[in-house]
Amino acid sequence: MTVLALAPLRTPADFADWYRPGADYVIRVAEGMGFPTGDFPALADEAEAAMRANRTGGDVAVEVAQTIVADLLADAAFGPPFLEWTPLWYELALTGPTHYADWRLRRVARKYADTLDHVSLPRFSRPRDVLYEGSPAIDRVSGFVDRFAFADAITHLEWFDYVATECGLPVPPELVARTREETVAYYVGEKTMDDLTPTVRRFQHLLFTDDVWARDVNRRYELNSALFTLWERILSRERGRFAPQ
């Protein structure tokens, strides 16, 4: 099977296996960094159960709905900006499926967002937003794999910051800013891995456990997808590189 097997997904129950790996990712990174997670693990369990039962709207507690909305909206918004970091052939091949997934994820998220007083929409960086010495930093990175890894290093930081914050987890803004700055410096060759602040290195090591997300989605939906396997391989390589000494 391929990623086309995801096309029929429509209901909250269909997306429960999409939501859960994202929630687990937030928990894994937060706990690894020592950020308090509060009730979030329990809320994630409730959210998954609600989605599997197709319970939405007033049948779901506001705090539970918030976790679902944050996760699905972040995933919906993630794809189009990320594609701009990739080669044209890759972007063209995945633009259609990415926008379709964006639409489907937003439709499901809307079933839970209607009960919330306010919803913040995530925004992810495009290459023009990440500069080094006045020019797009990506121009200093060569090769598909390294460019993909650099793009993910920036955007998964933003994804985690948005989702965790929306779910009430404290993420130090100064750490996010420092991680972004040092990550750019590393990928453009200004810093070596040993030059990175230990906390930043540990943070990126944990953020690159999105290889687990790729593997889980591939397994849960029985995709046997070469694309998801490629993502997992690249992200796993980077996770190993950032492993604390």
Side-chain angles (χ1 to χ4, degrees), residues 1-3 218 223-233:
M1 298 177 71
T2 69
V3 292
N218 203 9
L223 301 176
N224 193 26
S225 166
L227 184 63
F228 274 78
T229 300
L230 173 64
W231 294 346
E232 179 189 350
R233 187 178 301 123

Side-chain angles (χ1 to χ4, degrees), residues 24-37:
D24 287 343
Y25 178 72
V26 172
I27 295 168
R28 183 167 59 248
V29 175
E31 289 182 343
M33 291 302 295
F35 303 156
T37 56

Side-chain angles (χ1 to χ4, degrees), residues 80 110 190 219:
R110 195 173 299 122
E190 182 67 22
R219 175 183 58 81

Side-chain angles (χ1 to χ4, degrees), residues 60-161:
V60 177
V62 170
E63 296 82 3
V64 172
Q66 183 64 65
T67 73
I68 298 171
V69 171
D71 187 295
L72 298 187
L73 284 184
D75 282 349
F78 184 93
F82 186 89
L83 286 181
E84 292 190 21
W85 293 80
T86 63
L88 183 59
W89 60 266
Y90 185 93
E91 182 178 0
L92 290 176
L94 291 182
T95 291
T98 297
H99 282 279
Y100 181 78
D102 178 337
W103 176 61
R104 283 295 182 195
L105 287 163
R106 289 181 190 275
R107 281 175 62 90
V108 174
R110 195 173 299 122
K111 296 177 183 293
Y112 297 93
D114 288 343
T115 63
L116 303 179
D117 292 334
H118 175 73
V119 175
S120 297
L121 297 179
R123 178 186 178 278
F124 294 100
S125 293
R126 289 170 160 80
R128 64 176 179 269
D129 301 318
V130 182
L131 304 179
Y132 183 78
E133 295 183 345
S135 300
I138 192 67
D139 292 346
R140 292 175 175 256
V141 183
S142 60
F144 172 77
V145 171
D146 286 341
R147 284 180 166 228
F148 187 100
F150 179 34
D152 191 63
I154 295 296
T155 51
H156 68 196
L157 171 65
E158 296 171 340
W159 189 99
F160 174 80
D161 184 31

